[in-house]
Amino acid sequence: MSITLQCLIEAKRQGRLLTVLTAWDYAIAQLLDIAGVDIILVGDSLAMVALGHKTTLPLTLEEILHHGGAVRRGVKRAFLVCDLPFLSYQESISQAIHTAGRVLKETEVQAVKLEGGYPAVVETVAQLTAIGIPVMGHVGLTPQSVHRLGYRQQGQTETDAKRIISEAIALSEAGAFAVVLEHIPSNLAKIITNKLPIPTIGIGAGSDCDGQVLVTADLLGLSGKKPPFAKSYTNLRQIITEAVKEFSREVREGKFP
Ligand code: KIV
């Protein structure tokens, strides 16, 4: 049975924790889907993990459309969400509608995610949901603002914490179906989770969220450098390097084929 928007909203009511992982190509998407992840996110982190950029900022709309289509072809069951790249939605509501529309039409994902909870983004979320495009919000550390915020934990002062709570509430009231809480103190994530009727998806935000997301390259041990809050469940860098060395050795020694 495929996961619908309704299943995700119901999960919060039933206290069922949601699993969310990022994907950037067909093969990874297929494996995540077979393993039963609830939401697969074509995250703009693909700029770093798949394209070798230092930040998410250089990613273009054309690039995420290309990767989104590949991910779509690998997914049969999970609910599929795609990030809107930096500067593909912030200029105006009409730019956001045009971009989100292209993403839905050309990749057939079911929803988009955009970063921030300031008034213009909240208004954009309201307009997108009004025309039938499901939106996932993202507050706390927002990597598209790296040059302003860095990668440090957000919400440490009372003022900042209050602002993040208001942003999450505003996104929920504007119609977002879920909100990512990135790199904020766990007590703040708990307060937000208790206040919102929609699921909170944490990353570096403690265990009291309604679900957890990781960048799959971090989970698999593929990233050269991962954030302090990420957990690697295996070390594919090592496994792949050893397999490649073994292949090279066998070829050079005339043992393969
Ligand atoms: O792009 C991404 O991978 C993300 C997750 C960190 C939530 O936005």
Side-chain angles (χ1 to χ4, degrees), residues 22 45 48-49 54 141 151-152 182-183 203-204 213-237:
T22 66
S45 55
M48 298 160 86
V49 303
K54 286 197 169 58
L141 171 56
Y151 287 120
R152 63 184 175 275
E182 180 163 354
H183 208 8
I203 174 162
V213 56
L214 277 182
V215 172
T216 299
D218 294 336
L219 176 150
L220 296 178
L222 267 177
S223 320
K225 197 171 158 219
K226 66 176 171 56
F229 48 77
K231 177 172 174 184
S232 296
Y233 286 79
T234 184
N235 188 344
L236 278 196
R237 270 175 92 86

Side-chain angles (χ1 to χ4, degrees), residues 91-183:
E91 266 176 44
S92 64
I93 288 175
S94 91
Q95 186 205 26
I97 292 175
H98 184 76
T99 301
R102 275 197 73 190
V103 169
L104 257 66
K105 279 168 179 269
E106 295 176 36
T107 68
E108 298 182 63
V109 299
Q110 287 135 300
V112 296
K113 175 165 83 58
L114 37 86
E115 293 187 6
Y118 52 91
V121 173
V122 171
E123 184 52 29
T124 300
V125 171
Q127 293 295 327
L128 291 174
T129 51
I131 60 168
I133 300 180
V135 183
M136 179 182 262
H138 185 156
V139 296
L141 171 56
T142 46
Q144 291 180 8
S145 307
V146 60
H147 296 310
R148 192 168 61 85
L149 303 177
Y151 287 120
R152 63 184 175 275
Q153 191 186 53
Q154 302 296 303
Q156 288 178 349
T157 64
E158 203 183 322
T159 316
D160 211 24
K162 278 189 181 153
R163 179 184 52 77
I164 295 171
I165 294 171
S166 314
E167 289 178 349
I169 293 172
L171 289 167
S172 168
E173 288 176 353
F177 71 89
V179 181
V180 170
L181 306 177
E182 180 163 354
H183 208 8

